[in-house]
């Protein structure tokens, strides 16, 4: 029972309700299906509809656009609990928020009023289209182009490894409007599913997070109204960085959720598995592993929650802290899930137990929304620029 742990963070009644709703969805809907969803790569459409009906997508948005007026902290609470059930479900949820954050951050009033309410209700899902085969960490290497032609922008190019690809209805797509300027020549556009010239590649067969849909987005002379540009030409890189500053703590929260689930499995197993006539939980070697796992998770959770609170306070210089929360929590998730497999031994390596899946899932948290090497770059550059405090 983790309620006591959450109470240590002095959650409000509303925040505790968010945790309870997400935990109920995870335990009643997600966990019974997660092995099958993982094995067969089943996108959790029905679960996401339930998440939408539970108003969890409204957590991202202000009340004027159909949201609940909550903040990143509440999103992190939801992401952690959903990831405790299954990272694929949590990613599908968080990826929709990531997809509409550029509209919330820099969109026009008209764009916000048109696109945000149906995304807030869960009626529609969003996706974020930045990554390409040659452009991940290096935003300036984007090859997708957007050329103004009368009242339209014409998009050409391919996006790769896009979460919710093919399933989402609204896409925020980064493309070069002035390739000569590198990253400063990037812009971002709202593209709706079904637009002529917009199609999808194959669904990727992934190591982990297999219930999440990951596909290519293909643009072939795809014409979109010029009013679908977010902000103005050349603002793409800045909008992307502002989006990641707000979204990275949620990745940290997902990592905490996976790690927590792995610890629970390892602890439970250690109390029933017997060797040399005693449960393995009585052996100091195992006790120390469990103690280190629990301590690391609590440290990661505290950093993620603190970062979310700082962001919600309106603080502007959040890049360093945001990168730290994603970096530390995801490294801990990989460490904890690996140790959980070790504690379960041979059973941990078998699909009969969920810890091997958790280990596979944890890996992506060190990669997506900026690799952990890039997070270290962000942290170091900010230290050099602004000092140690």
């Amino acid at each position: 029972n983790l309620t006591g742990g959450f109470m240590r963070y002095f959650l409000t009644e509303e925040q505790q309700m968010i945790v309870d709703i997400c935990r109920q969805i995870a335990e009643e809907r997600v966990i019974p299906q997660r092995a099958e969803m993982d094995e067969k790569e089943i996108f959790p459409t029905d679960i996401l509809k339930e998440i939408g009906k539970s108003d969890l997508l409204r957590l991202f948005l202000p009340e004027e656009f159909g949201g609940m007026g909550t903040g990143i902290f509440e999103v992190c609470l939801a992401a952690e609990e959903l990831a405790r059930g299954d990272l694929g479900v949590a990613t599908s949820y968080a990826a929709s928020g990531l997809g509409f954050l550029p509209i919330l951050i820099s969109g026009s009033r008209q764009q916000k009023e048109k696109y945000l309410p149906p995304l807030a209700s869960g009626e529609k899902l969003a996706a974020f289209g930045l990554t390409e085969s040659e452009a991940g960490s290096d935003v300036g290497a984007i090859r997708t182009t957007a050329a103004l032609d009368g009242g339209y922008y014409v998009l050409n190019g391919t996006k790769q490894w896009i979460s919710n690809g093919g399933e989402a209805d609204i896409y925020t797509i980064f493309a070069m409007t002035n390739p000569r300027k590198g990253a400063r020549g990037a812009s971002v556009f709202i593209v709706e599913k079904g637009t002529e010239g917009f199609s999808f590649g194959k669904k990727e067969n992934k190591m982990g997070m297999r219930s999440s849909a990951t596909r290519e987005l293909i643009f072939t002379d795809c014409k979109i109204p010029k009013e679908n540009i977010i902000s103005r030409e050349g603002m793409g890189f800045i909008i992307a960085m502002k989006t990641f500053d707000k979204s990275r703590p949620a990745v940290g929260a997902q990592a905490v959720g996976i790690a927590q689930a792995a610890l629970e499995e390892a602890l439970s197993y250690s109390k029933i598995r017997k060797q040399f006539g005693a449960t393995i939980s009585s052996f100091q070697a195992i006790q120390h592993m469990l103690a280190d796992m629990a301590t690391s998770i609590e440290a990661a959770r505290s950093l993620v929650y603190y970062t979310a609170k700082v962001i919600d306070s309106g603080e502007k210089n959040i890049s360093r802290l945001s990168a730290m929360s994603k970096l530390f929590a995801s490294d801990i998730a990989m460490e904890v899930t690996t140790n959980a497999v070790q504690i379960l031994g041979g059973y941990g390596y078998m699909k009969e137990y969920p810890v091997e899946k958790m280990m596979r899932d944890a890996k992506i948290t060190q990669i997506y929304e900026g690799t952990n090497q890039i997070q270290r770059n962000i942290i170091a550059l900010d230290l050099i620029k602004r000092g140690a405090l």
Side-chain angles (χ1 to χ4, degrees):
N1 182 359
L2 297 180
T3 304
F6 277 105
M7 288 302 290
R8 289 199 299 272
Y9 290 95
F10 306 104
L11 300 188
T12 65
E13 189 175 336
E14 181 185 40
Q15 290 163 348
Q16 187 63 50
M17 191 181 300
I18 291 165
V19 172
D20 292 342
I21 290 168
C22 291
R23 183 167 302 166
Q24 185 176 358
I25 291 171
E27 292 183 352
E28 294 181 3
R29 296 296 310 278
V30 178
I31 290 174
Q33 299 182 63
R34 70 181 172 192
E36 183 182 13
M37 290 192 298
D38 176 68
E39 188 72 27
K40 297 179 181 178
E41 300 179 275
I42 299 169
F43 187 75
T45 303
D46 291 343
I47 295 171
L48 288 171
K49 284 180 180 176
E50 185 166 337
I51 286 170
K53 288 177 183 175
S54 300
D55 290 336
L56 295 172
L57 283 156
R58 298 186 191 278
L59 300 179
F60 291 86
L61 296 167
E63 293 177 2
E64 61 182 318
F65 301 117
M68 291 177 66
T70 46
I72 299 300
F73 181 68
E74 286 78 9
V75 170
C76 285
L77 292 176
E80 178 182 341
E81 277 302 301
L82 293 172
R84 183 170 160 260
D86 176 59
L87 180 64
V89 171
T91 296
S92 302
Y93 163 74
S96 191
L98 177 67
F100 61 65
L101 271 177
I103 303 173
L104 177 64
I105 291 168
S106 299
S108 66
R109 180 84 192 182
Q110 184 180 8
Q111 288 170 341
K112 291 176 182 179
E113 289 177 349
K114 178 179 180 180
Y115 292 106
L116 293 181
L119 291 167
S121 68
E123 176 192 337
K124 293 184 176 181
L125 288 177
F128 183 86
L130 175 63
T131 304
E132 299 180 6
S133 60
E134 300 298 323
S137 301
D138 182 5
V139 177
I142 288 174
R143 294 289 174 263
T144 297
T145 59
L148 187 60
D149 182 9
Y152 294 87
Y153 279 96
V154 181
L155 272 63
N156 281 285
T158 303
K159 297 294 177 181
Q160 191 172 36
W161 304 323
I162 305 304
S163 296
N164 287 355
E167 306 291 341
D169 307 280
I170 308 297
Y171 296 77
T172 45
I173 301 300
F174 292 78
M176 286 295 182
T177 45
N178 191 339
R180 293 190 302 275
K181 289 188 176 181
R184 294 184 182 277
S187 304
V188 57
F189 302 88
I190 302 168
V191 184
E192 298 183 37
K193 185 179 182 179
T195 302
E196 188 176 351
F198 177 23
S199 60
F200 305 101
K202 66 180 177 65
K203 189 174 183 179
E204 301 290 354
N205 184 8
K206 305 187 297 293
M207 170 183 174
M209 197 183 62
R210 290 168 57 82
S211 61
S212 169
T214 307
R215 287 187 178 89
E216 282 185 333
L217 312 181
I218 302 166
F219 301 96
T220 309
D221 293 332
C222 176
K223 292 173 67 176
I224 60 167
K226 68 178 183 180
E227 58 265 26
N228 280 27
I229 190 170
I230 297 177
S231 185
R232 62 182 188 275
E233 287 192 11
M235 290 295 289
F237 178 75
I238 292 170
I239 293 170
M241 295 307 103
K242 285 183 177 180
T243 299
F244 285 141
D245 280 347
K246 290 198 169 187
S247 68
R248 280 174 176 148
V251 178
Q254 291 173 4
V256 169
I258 300 166
Q260 183 68 49
L263 172 61
E264 289 169 9
E265 292 289 338
L267 178 61
S268 177
Y269 179 84
S270 74
K271 293 193 284 188
I272 60 171
R273 172 67 168 168
K274 288 189 175 181
Q275 289 288 274
F276 307 105
T279 59
I280 64 172
S281 62
S282 67
F283 302 146
Q284 192 177 68
I286 299 297
Q287 290 175 356
H288 285 187
M289 289 177 74
L290 292 168
D292 287 345
M293 291 157 76
T295 303
S296 297
I297 291 168
E298 205 59 59
R301 181 179 285 123
S302 295
L303 179 56
V304 168
Y305 286 9
Y306 172 68
T307 301
K309 290 278 193 179
V310 170
I311 293 170
D312 290 340
S313 76
E315 171 65 42
K316 301 300 182 187
N317 295 315
I318 56 174
S319 295
R320 180 199 304 183
L321 201 52
S322 183
M324 285 177 172
S325 68
K326 191 267 188 192
L327 164 68
F328 184 72
S330 59
D331 280 353
I332 291 303
M334 198 67 233
E335 178 185 311
V336 168
T337 54
T338 301
N339 284 339
V341 170
Q342 190 69 23
I343 289 171
L344 269 71
Y347 288 110
Y349 203 70
M350 302 300 157
K351 288 185 179 292
E352 181 182 349
Y353 288 80
V355 289
E356 63 83 27
K357 174 192 178 301
M358 293 169 186
M359 182 178 172
R360 287 187 284 111
D361 285 352
K363 187 62 200 171
I364 193 61
T365 65
Q366 295 180 307
I367 298 171
Y368 65 6
E369 292 195 38
T371 66
N372 281 9
Q373 288 68 35
I374 287 294
Q375 305 311 316
R376 288 177 168 89
N377 286 357
I378 292 168
I379 295 162
L381 289 172
D382 192 71
L383 279 169
I384 292 163
K385 179 181 177 182
R386 297 198 301 120
L389 291 177

